Amino acid sequence: MLAYDPASNPLNNNEWSFPLLEILHIAGFTLSIGTIAVVDLRLLGLGLLRHSAKELLRATAPWTLVGLVVMLTTGPAIFSSDPVMYLRNFSFKFKMVALLAAILYNYTIHRKVALAEGPSGGAAVLVGAVSLALWISVVFGGLFIAFV
Amino acid sequence: MSLAEVMHSIQSVGFLTDLRESALVYPVVMSTHLSCIAVFGGMILMTDMRLLGLALKKYTVSEVVSALRPWKRVGGTIMITMGLLLGSSEADKYYINPFFWWKLTLLTLIGVHALIFRPLVYNHPEKIDESPQIPARAKWAAILSLVLWFGVLTMGRLIGYYEPKS
């Protein structure tokens, strides 16, 4: 296997690049999670009730994707600064599992229910609540990398 | 009593000491702060992008502003509470941190932004719905809001990187 020396990574040789990437990472997930949360609130029956979840999803989906792209570009770059540390970090592993689950969920169940005409109350509430819980657990997992 | 002593006595309050020293509660409070940024900060972004005519165009400005406002308030309240807990539990470190003061300055400017643009834009979104084009004052409100909040996010993150020269 090729040896990778993190010391050769520009991220570790410039005091500003790492925090800048983190700031963009946070801005990226703020955009994606914030737009998903708008749909979730609608599914929960808590806001924007004058329009269907379907319309809201259609209106927010492009922005969710922009946020995800920023997040999934900056994230691996941050990871590259110290891969061995991240791979050994329990919170990082938790975050990756939660992230994978959240993305899959978002583009399957969440999308299907939001696009369904007049999703039934109970199911929609459950789907919205699980979505919020998944994304918040990704944020928690990410922050805990620095603590656990 | 010097400022340093005041700061030290703030962070010495019992529950704040417990918070700072807890291996679990401290990161949980911080994660909650960050989760609020994700969920509710995203709503600020969406409101601003609607004012710029970039997103949610099927909805009127009134609809976006009035539907998201109560949630931004709930989120803002949790976020500020968590932020106050974090800052006051480490008051010794924060008051000498220039990024913390930048963040407070920007938050103050966001207050000024609200004072200026609430009467001009946010309190009368139906006027924007009625006009054929989004008025310049609404676009300025959105651009300034985006810049200020991105600044707050930036300064907030940089607080953690500051090392005082010893």
Side-chain angles (χ1 to χ4, degrees):
Chain A
M1 206 175 121
L2 294 171
Y4 169 65
D5 179 8
S8 68
N9 188 321
L11 275 178
N12 296 321
N13 291 299
N14 177 324
E15 64 173 332
W16 287 100
S17 50
F18 190 85
L20 184 70
L21 274 176
E22 281 188 325
I23 289 159
L24 293 174
H25 191 63
I26 297 169
F29 75 65
T30 295
L31 182 57
S32 54
I33 297 179
T35 47
I36 293 168
V38 170
V39 180
D40 292 341
L41 287 179
R42 177 63 188 83
L43 290 171
L44 288 164
L46 294 172
L48 292 158
L49 295 175
R50 285 215 275 163
H51 294 262
S52 65
K54 183 179 182 174
E55 285 177 293
L56 267 180
L57 182 77
R58 291 245 164 90
T60 54
W63 295 102
T64 306
L65 193 60
V66 170
L68 279 176
V69 168
V70 173
M71 177 176 119
L72 294 176
T73 314
T74 50
I78 291 169
F79 172 81
S80 77
S81 70
D82 199 354
V84 175
M85 180 282 284
Y86 282 108
L87 290 172
R88 283 181 184 155
N89 184 297
F90 172 77
S91 298
F92 177 77
K93 290 180 216 168
F94 171 85
K95 181 185 176 180
M96 286 305 110
V97 173
L99 176 66
L100 188 64
I103 292 175
L104 285 175
Y105 179 82
N106 190 63
Y107 286 103
T108 54
I109 300 169
H110 187 259
R111 187 177 167 80
K112 202 174 168 191
V113 171
L115 288 181
E117 287 294 347
S120 61
V125 167
L126 183 66
V127 168
V130 169
S131 173
L132 278 177
L134 275 172
W135 287 109
I136 288 173
S137 65
V138 177
V139 176
F140 269 66
L143 194 128
F144 265 84
I145 291 171
F147 289 87
V148 181
Chain B
M1 203 173 180
S2 71
L3 188 56
E5 287 165 335
V6 174
M7 292 301 157
H8 192 69
S9 54
I10 291 175
Q11 73 161 34
S12 304
V13 173
F15 78 94
L16 291 176
T17 302
D18 294 342
L19 169 65
R20 178 175 65 250
E21 291 173 354
S22 167
L24 184 63
V25 181
Y26 190 80
V28 165
V29 170
M30 214 177 227
S31 299
T32 308
H33 189 65
L34 194 60
S35 299
C36 284
I37 292 168
V39 174
F40 306 104
M43 294 181 186
I44 297 174
L45 254 170
M46 293 315 286
T47 308
D48 289 335
M49 293 202 294
R50 178 62 190 88
L51 287 173
L52 289 170
L54 293 173
L56 298 175
K57 282 198 274 187
K58 280 190 182 169
Y59 299 82
T60 62
V61 171
S62 307
E63 282 178 304
V64 174
V65 168
S66 60
L68 297 182
R69 179 175 281 158
W71 291 104
K72 287 192 276 190
R73 289 200 175 144
V74 171
T77 307
I78 304 172
M79 188 160 70
I80 291 166
T81 309
M82 297 302 145
L84 284 173
L85 285 172
L86 292 170
S88 55
S89 74
E90 297 212 83
D92 275 357
K93 283 189 197 162
Y94 274 67
Y95 97 100
I96 52 164
N97 190 319
F99 297 116
F100 171 70
W101 291 107
W102 271 110
K103 183 174 179 177
L104 283 194
T105 306
L106 289 168
L107 285 169
T108 309
L109 289 176
I110 284 170
V112 175
H113 176 280
L115 285 177
I116 295 170
F117 289 107
R118 276 202 183 148
L120 287 176
V121 176
Y122 300 100
N123 288 347
H124 311 285
E126 67 286 348
K127 285 188 186 161
I128 297 171
D129 299 338
E130 286 160 12
S131 72
Q133 283 174 327
I134 298 169
R137 61 176 195 282
K139 290 188 175 174
W140 275 110
I143 290 168
L144 289 171
S145 164
L146 286 172
V147 170
L148 288 169
W149 281 111
F150 188 73
V152 170
L153 165 62
T154 303
M155 293 308 154
R157 183 61 282 231
L158 290 177
I159 287 172
Y161 283 93
Y162 178 70
E163 298 238 354
K165 292 188 187 86
S166 53

